[in-house]
Amino acid sequence: MAACAIRRGLLSTASKYNQHKCTNRILSALDFSSGLDAKRPQPLCSACGLSSFQQKRFMSSRPEGKILEPVGIFEALKQHGKYETGQLFLHSVFGYRGIVLFPWHARLYDRDVSPAVADSKPDSVGHGSKEVKGKMHTYYQVLIDTRDCPHISQRSQTEAVTFLANHDDSRALYAIPGLDYVSHEDILPYNSTEQVPIQHELFERFLMFNPSRNPPFTARDTLRAWQEKNHPWLELSDVHRETTENIRVTVIPFYMGMREAQNSHVYWWRYCIRLENLGNEVVQLRERHWRIFSLSGTLETVRGRGVVGKEPVLSREQPAFQYSSHVSLQAPSGHMWGTFCFERTDGSHFDVRIPPFSLESNKYDKAPPTGYPL
């Protein structure tokens, strides 16, 4: 029987997988010649009842020779509840392999969702913004497979969790590469019989194989201790999202800590930004324009070309780009907002709003971060 709608762009080198199999084997989704489909179609296959999304998503070729690589067996998406520690998954947007360490609960402020009563009013920093109520949403701390990091580097920084180090050098940071924060709907779960299915320096320090469990990977004491001790530095509390002309911007801020410098306190945050093209038009990010308000009363304007030295193109084939940056204030709280300037293929430009988000330091004293076990 012919395969159910293999995703466009699949090359003839994969023809041996072109038979319909209801075991629904997952194949590596790192196809960077044609990208991953950004949407999730719902029609069902008449042969096995699986949605075309489930079959298309996991059939994609790797850049080296375009050879498909089996990684596991697809599992049903969880519509309710959360994924457990040890759950293997593919990222639905960036395609990398990963494993769940533990979940977080964040307040999602989605400006694309209209409240029951729309109320537009200026906020405390003087820029107009409609009132948005936060809704609890599940995110996950995950490990990224290091084999996939080179292939996603043009579309996503492999998130490195950073926080201030505990010694006198005020510029010193802890940086733990290959950690990411993933929304519940970005998890495409699968299982594998491999005892070490993910390559990351912390995998075997944090997780152990337990075939009697489902998923068969459980947390070691080192993971529990690391999560407990570094909870204030790892936890995300707020997520902000807004769409302008089919370009969706998602911002996640994190408090990093405080340092004393020249008889004053300097507070640091990092923020992760994801840009997604929800339409069919090819666009390129050209400029950023930030406004940063500090509780000390200062208002700073920052303009520049691109972001993190890049001017990413967002297309139907490669619809998303993610990066992280840092900001400091001489006050324990503040706000950031702004715009990204995008260019269309006809040379015209348009601004995409960056949703306003708060920079808040933790309201309680806590011990310095402990780093991670070596």
Side-chain angles (χ1 to χ4, degrees), residues 28-143:
S28 175
L30 291 171
D31 177 4
F32 291 92
S33 61
S34 58
L36 289 177
D37 295 332
K39 299 178 177 59
R40 301 185 173 192
Q42 297 304 316
L44 297 180
C45 165
S46 59
C48 66
L50 292 173
S51 72
S52 59
F53 152 69
Q54 292 170 341
Q55 296 172 41
K56 289 180 180 180
R57 181 69 62 176
F58 302 116
M59 291 187 172
S60 180
S61 53
R62 292 187 66 101
E64 301 89 350
K66 308 297 180 185
I67 299 174
L68 294 173
E69 178 182 354
V71 297
I73 304 298
F74 175 77
E75 294 182 345
L77 303 177
K78 280 197 174 183
Q79 304 298 330
H80 305 286
K82 64 181 184 295
Y83 297 104
E84 302 296 331
T85 295
Q87 177 65 62
L88 294 166
F89 71 94
L90 296 181
H91 194 292
S92 68
V93 175
F94 298 114
Y96 64 71
R97 290 164 284 185
I99 191 166
V100 171
L101 294 181
F102 41 77
W104 296 116
H105 295 291
R107 291 184 300 273
L108 173 61
Y109 295 91
D110 192 344
R111 286 165 175 77
D112 301 333
V113 178
S114 299
V117 179
D119 182 14
S120 296
K121 61 182 180 180
D123 61 20
S124 60
V125 295
H127 61 283
S129 156
K130 69 181 180 182
E131 185 177 9
V132 179
K133 293 184 178 179
K135 181 180 180 180
M136 297 309 294
H137 193 71
T138 302
Y139 278 73
Y140 300 93
Q141 188 92 65
V142 307
L143 289 182

Side-chain angles (χ1 to χ4, degrees), residues 148-169:
D148 296 340
C149 292
H151 306 301
I152 65 174
S153 61
Q154 295 304 311
R155 295 193 297 160
S156 173
Q157 291 181 344
T158 52
E159 174 72 4
V161 170
T162 55
F163 39 77
L164 297 179
N166 181 26
H167 43 72
D168 295 335
D169 184 354

Side-chain angles (χ1 to χ4, degrees), residues 159 181 233-237 252-256 268-272 360:
E159 174 72 4
Y181 295 86
W233 309 96
L234 297 170
E235 183 176 13
L236 71 169
S237 57
I252 308 177
F254 300 87
Y255 179 58
M256 293 173 56
W268 285 86
W269 291 264
R270 75 180 186 276
Y271 54 91
C272 179
E360 299 291 344

Side-chain angles (χ1 to χ4, degrees), residues 2 38 72 95 122 147 161 184 211 217 242-243 259 265 268 303 368:
R147 293 170 294 184
V161 170
H184 183 83
F217 302 97
E242 184 170 4
T243 302
R259 277 282 182 260
H265 292 166
W268 285 86
R303 289 183 180 271

Side-chain angles (χ1 to χ4, degrees), residues 330-341:
Q330 291 185 324
S333 63
H335 287 82
M336 289 180 66
W337 71 99
T339 57
F340 292 120
C341 179

